[in-house]
Amino acid sequence: MLGLTGAAGAIAPNLLVSPAWAAQPDTPTGQIVVGVSQEPTVFNPLMPRIEVDDGVQLSVFDGLVRISPDGEFIPALAAEVPTIENGGLSEDGLSWHFKLRDDVTWHDGEPFTAEDVKFTLELIMDPNFRSWRTTGHELVRDIEIVSPTEIKWRMEEPFAPYMSILVETMMVPKHILGPLDDRNEAPFNQAPIGTGAFKWGSRKAGDHVELVTNPDYFGEGPFVERLIFKYIPDLTVLYTQFKSGDIDIISNQYITPDNYAEAKTLAGKEVSVVPSPTVESVFLNNEKPQFQDKAVRQAIYAAIDKQTIIDALYYGLPTPSESYLPQQSYYYNSDLPQHEYSPETANKLLDEAGWERGADGIRAKEGVRLSFSNSTTSGNHLREQAQQFIQQSLGEVGIEMTIENKPPAVMWGEYWTQSQFDSVIVGIV
C-alpha cells in the first residue's frame, strides 16, 4: 500500500430539518433520503461487502453488542455486555457467556433466540458459505445453548479484539437460512429479514433502496417512516442534489473538498469539517511481476507529489499520512519516515535496479515492461483528477500508468475481492 492522503478533514453534512425532530415524535413520520455514491448490493450482513452496504445492513440487522458514541460497548441483542465483573467473561478470556434480551422478534414475527446466535457463528465458519470475515470466529469452540436467552462458548485462545468483531457481526435468522442447502444464493440475500429498526421495503437496481419502519423494534425509535438510500454515482451530482434538498444526508463520501467553501454557506444546512478514519491510498497488486521489485515500489512512491495533490485537488483539507491507521487512533505513529517527493530519487532507484528506458521512454527489465493500469470508481472526480496527475508524474520517470475506471458495483465486485486489478485508488477505513 502506498499512502496517498490521510483524510483528517472529511466534510460531514447534516440537514437541519423541522424543529419537531428535537422532540422525538410519538409515531414514526416522514422520511430521510441518504445519498450514496456507490450502490448498496450486498444485503446479507455475513457476506463480502463494502462500506456503502453497511448503512443498509445496520438499519436492518443488529449484533449482540454495539459501540456508543463515546466508544463504550453497550448491549444490543444482548441483555448486558459480558464482563469479568458480571461473570460473562472469565479472567483468562476463554469463557464467554451472553444473556440475551427476551423481547426481540425478527421482522416476520418469529422470536429471536440463542439458536439464532449459535447458527450465525457456525454459518460464518461453514466452508461452503462465503463469509466476509472469519477472524476471531475461528477460535470459537463448544457453543452451548443454556436457554432461549442464554448462550456460552469457549475460545481456543484469548483474542482481545473479539468483542469489537461481535459489534460488526450481525445476527441472521436460523428459521429462514437454516433449512437451505445453498445460503450463498438464498432469496434472503436480496430481501433480508432482520431485527433492526427498519424492515426491508424495496429496491430499484441502479437507483435506490427503501426501508420502512419496524413498529416492533425493541430499542429506541425508529422516528421516521421511511429510510431511502439513493444511488448517485457522480459526486458532483450528489452534492448538487444535497444542495437542492433532493437528498438530506451525504453518506460515506461526504461533501468533496472542492465544494466545501460553497456548502458551508447554504441556507438550512449544517456542514462541519470533522476527522475521518479514511485514508486515500494506492494499492498495488504484488502478484504482478512489475511490482515484485522493491525498487519499483519505492520509485513509484518517490515520484508521487502527495502534497500538491492535497493542496491543488483536495483544497488542503486532508493531511499527509504514512500509515493506514487514522491519525486519531491511539496506535497512530507520527514518527514514521516522512514521504519525500523526488523524481531524482525515483530515477536513481530504477536505474540502479536495471530498469532501462526503451525508445518510447518507458522502462523495462528482463522482458517485463514497467506499465500497469490503475482503477477507481467512475464518477469520483477528485480521484480521477488525482489519477491523471499521478499518470503524468510517473511518466516523467519512465513508468506507464493507464487508467481503467469502473462503476462501483464492478470495481468492488470480483475485480477487487479476487485481486484482478493491477493497482487501485481506494479509501481504506
Side-chain angles (χ1 to χ4, degrees), residues 153-165:
W153 61 81
R154 69 175 180 89
M155 304 291 282
E156 184 68 20
E157 61 186 55
F159 190 60
Y162 195 54
M163 191 72 78
S164 293
I165 288 172

Side-chain angles (χ1 to χ4, degrees), residues 36-41 43 190 202-209 229-234 241 407-409:
V36 292
S37 65
Q38 300 175 19
E39 183 178 11
T41 58
F43 307 115
Q190 293 303 313
S202 62
R203 177 191 178 210
K204 183 177 180 182
D207 189 80
H208 73 274
V209 171
F229 294 85
K230 187 176 181 182
Y231 170 47
I232 306 169
D234 188 299
Q241 292 205 15

Side-chain angles (χ1 to χ4, degrees), residues 288-357:
K288 304 294 181 180
Q290 57 268 48
F291 298 137
Q292 291 180 9
D293 187 338
K294 181 179 179 180
V296 169
R297 303 194 300 271
Q298 292 175 321
I300 290 173
Y301 198 36
I304 294 176
D305 188 351
K306 288 206 302 185
Q307 195 60 53
T308 295
I309 293 173
I310 292 171
D311 294 339
L313 302 183
Y314 287 82
Y315 287 70
L317 281 170
T319 54
S321 178
E322 302 304 324
S323 168
Y324 61 85
L325 282 174
Q327 295 174 9
Q328 299 77 31
S329 170
Y330 176 85
Y331 300 99
Y332 178 74
N333 182 358
S334 60
D335 297 326
L336 292 172
Q338 296 299 298
H339 169 263
E340 180 184 356
Y341 166 59
S342 175
E344 295 80 10
T345 298
N347 277 316
K348 182 180 179 182
L349 284 164
L350 293 172
D351 289 341
E352 291 178 349
W355 291 88
E356 299 179 355
R357 291 181 185 263

Side-chain angles (χ1 to χ4, degrees), residues 16-70:
L16 294 180
V17 263
S18 160
W21 292 102
Q24 296 161 350
D26 293 331
T27 58
T29 181
Q31 67 181 27
I32 291 178
V33 181
V34 181
V36 292
S37 65
Q38 300 175 19
E39 183 178 11
T41 58
V42 178
F43 307 115
N44 183 327
L46 303 184
M47 299 185 74
R49 66 183 196 259
I50 59 175
E51 289 83 359
V52 72
D53 298 310
D54 288 349
V56 176
Q57 294 178 6
L58 291 170
S59 302
V60 174
F61 295 93
D62 295 290
L64 294 174
V65 292
R66 59 170 64 105
I67 295 179
S68 75
D70 297 324

